[in-house]
Amino acid sequence: MIKEIGSEFWDDGPVRRDKVYLLCGRTALEYIICDIVKHYKVNSVLLPSYCCHTMIEPFYRHNIPVRFYDIYFDETNGLSAKVPEVQEKEIFYYMTYFGFNQLRGIDLQKVKKNCTVLIEDRTHSWMSENTGCGADYSYISYRKWTGFDAIALASKERGTFSEFPKAVHAEYSRMRRQASSMKRRYIYSDTGKKQSFLELFGKAEELLEMDYAGYQPTSETMAALLKLDITYIAKTRRRNARFLIDALKNVPEIQLMFQKMEDKEVPLFVPILVRKDREKLRKYLIDNSIYCPIHWPQSIYHKGLSDRTEGLYERELSLVCDQRYDLDDMERIIKHIKNYYKR
């Protein structure tokens, strides 16, 4: 390298090497795991028992044995965790849920002292006040919050990443954009068939399921992230969530997973626990054009869960509160839930 000083800049950064944008949350997690196995000797990972299969599968991909710590709902304390002793050379995976930083029962200082690596999944807590847990690695999947094709951020607290994905998953991004455009026409112009864009969304996710590792987001998605009005999104979500919480806290047939919203919490959804026959309530809402997801469908990777964790998977329903909707929409959700139980 020529040791010249001054004159025009050449094409060489500055580039942050402790933060990398990737295709999706699972891509980011897999990328982090690749970095971990380069720098640490790890024998296992301790994951929350309440999680998506996409948080589990990348560890199996790298032949890292998985243990679960118990996540459950306690009538007195709310959403809680029971963490066993961290084993030697173990990764600890930490997250809070739905934008509410109200998970009880984890002594993070003790965990950090005993684990080899701490990963924080900040997908649900992205817009909420930072937990400040001091993780070695963290990641955020942004597509859960808005209409991006797919984009996520992986971060490393100490040191830098050494490899950087250059490939774009063009086919997946094309399918997602096309399906989103089809849905927009359906919503705003009542043109096209609903089944068509649903099938295309499904095919895109099937493709991602098979091939997700080592991709960066498209330049269009990066540009969209830079333009995002985070203040508006946070304000709208908080307003909608507060309205739902206040109206539903005394409905006896359901429980709010979180009875209140703390300052600077920004909900991803408002999760409720249905005391009986969740699928019947969910179908009733669908019949009235209200589509609420569940978190999460169980998979072959969900093994050895406790009965109280199983209860979360069987009872949880996520009420939509995002920036596409106003208080009239929230009133409609409330009305149909109450009407269902009045029948």
Side-chain angles (χ1 to χ4, degrees):
M1 179 177 178
I2 298 172
K3 295 295 186 179
E4 181 181 284
I5 297 175
S7 190
E8 298 294 333
F9 282 94
W10 58 91
D11 185 14
D12 192 28
V15 177
R16 292 198 66 165
R17 298 184 180 275
D18 59 342
K19 295 182 184 293
V20 180
Y21 286 97
L22 297 129
L23 178 66
C24 67
R26 191 169 9 169
T27 310
L29 178 57
E30 201 271 343
Y31 179 78
I32 286 170
I33 294 170
C34 285
D35 196 76
I36 288 173
V37 298
K38 284 181 183 178
H39 297 98
Y40 300 89
K41 171 63 177 174
V42 292
N43 294 333
S44 59
V45 60
L46 191 54
L47 281 162
S49 59
Y50 186 43
C51 66
C52 180
H53 79 280
T54 61
M55 306 172 196
I56 311 171
E57 187 270 341
F59 292 101
Y60 278 94
R61 173 188 281 252
H62 287 272
N63 298 312
I64 298 174
V66 171
R67 295 199 304 147
F68 290 111
Y69 61 90
D70 215 15
I71 303 292
Y72 60 97
F73 184 78
D74 180 85
E75 294 282 350
T76 302
N77 297 316
L79 196 66
S80 302
K82 183 174 177 57
V83 180
E85 288 297 319
V86 176
Q87 295 180 350
E88 185 179 2
K89 298 177 181 177
E90 188 159 55
I91 300 168
F92 189 87
Y93 188 111
Y94 175 72
M95 64 180 292
T96 54
Y97 292 87
F98 303 106
F100 296 85
N101 295 330
Q102 300 179 39
L103 179 63
R104 312 302 182 199
I106 298 182
D107 184 342
L108 279 172
Q109 292 305 312
K110 181 179 179 181
V111 166
K112 287 171 64 177
K113 182 179 178 180
N114 294 328
C115 72
T116 298
V117 181
L118 176 61
I119 298 175
E120 182 181 14
D121 181 347
R122 294 193 55 227
T123 297
H124 284 208
S125 60
W126 169 41
M127 289 194 180
S128 298
E129 188 174 54
N130 197 326
T131 58
C133 78
D136 300 292
Y137 296 86
S138 64
Y139 74 96
I140 304 165
S141 176
Y142 297 110
R143 72 177 186 147
K144 305 295 190 298
W145 289 87
T146 189
F148 295 133
D149 299 339
I151 186 169
L153 176 67
S155 301
K156 186 174 182 178
E157 181 64 23
R158 289 173 290 279
T160 59
F161 294 111
S162 56
E163 295 184 10
F164 302 90
K166 293 181 172 61
V168 172
H169 203 323
E171 181 63 10
Y172 172 77
S173 296
R174 182 195 66 78
M175 293 169 72
R176 286 283 305 189
R177 285 197 301 271
Q178 183 180 348
S180 295
S181 295
M182 292 166 66
K183 182 171 183 180
R184 180 179 178 83
R185 290 194 297 272
Y186 173 83
I187 292 293
Y188 288 102
S189 305
D190 196 19
T191 58
K193 294 182 179 179
K194 183 176 184 178
Q195 192 59 33
S196 297
F197 65 75
L198 289 178
E199 288 178 359
L200 192 55
F201 276 127
K203 288 178 181 178
E205 293 312 303
E206 287 175 7
L207 179 60
L208 189 65
E209 192 76 23
M210 296 183 295
D211 182 22
Y212 65 82
Y215 291 107
Q216 64 175 342
T218 63
S219 57
E220 294 86 355
T221 308
M222 283 292 299
L225 180 61
L226 292 174
K227 296 176 184 176
L228 203 63
D229 188 343
I230 294 176
T231 300
Y232 171 77
I233 292 173
K235 181 179 178 181
T236 305
R237 285 178 173 272
R238 282 181 54 81
R239 179 202 66 197
N240 289 345
R242 185 181 294 108
F243 194 79
L244 289 172
I245 291 169
D246 289 345
L248 294 173
K249 62 176 54 175
N250 294 318
V251 177
E253 293 87 356
I254 65 172
Q255 291 173 295
L256 292 166
M257 188 178 288
F258 305 101
Q259 295 287 326
K260 60 181 180 178
M261 184 173 58
E262 303 285 359
D263 291 343
K264 298 185 180 179
E265 290 180 337
V266 181
L268 180 60
F269 294 96
V270 174
I272 63 171
L273 298 172
V274 183
R275 294 187 185 275
K276 184 178 179 182
D277 295 329
R278 175 193 62 191
E279 290 309 308
K280 290 182 179 179
L281 171 60
R282 190 182 185 205
K283 183 179 184 303
Y284 178 83
L285 294 175
I286 290 172
D287 290 343
N288 286 279
S289 300
I290 298 170
Y291 301 92
C292 296
I294 59 172
H295 288 87
W296 286 266
Q298 290 194 56
S299 71
I300 59 172
Y301 301 107
H302 292 84
K303 301 175 182 178
L305 306 182
S306 69
D307 288 344
R308 56 188 183 179
T309 292
E310 292 279 2
L312 288 175
Y313 287 102
E314 293 166 1
R315 297 173 56 205
E316 192 274 341
L317 186 66
S318 297
L319 304 184
V320 175
C321 63
D322 67 62
Q323 60 274 11
R324 293 171 293 178
Y325 307 109
D326 58 23
L327 292 184
D328 288 340
D329 298 307
M330 300 302 102
E331 184 60 52
R332 186 171 150 218
I333 294 172
I334 294 161
K335 180 187 75 172
H336 284 295
I337 290 175
K338 290 183 175 180
N339 285 349
Y340 173 78
Y341 289 115
K342 288 178 182 177
R343 296 178 308 161

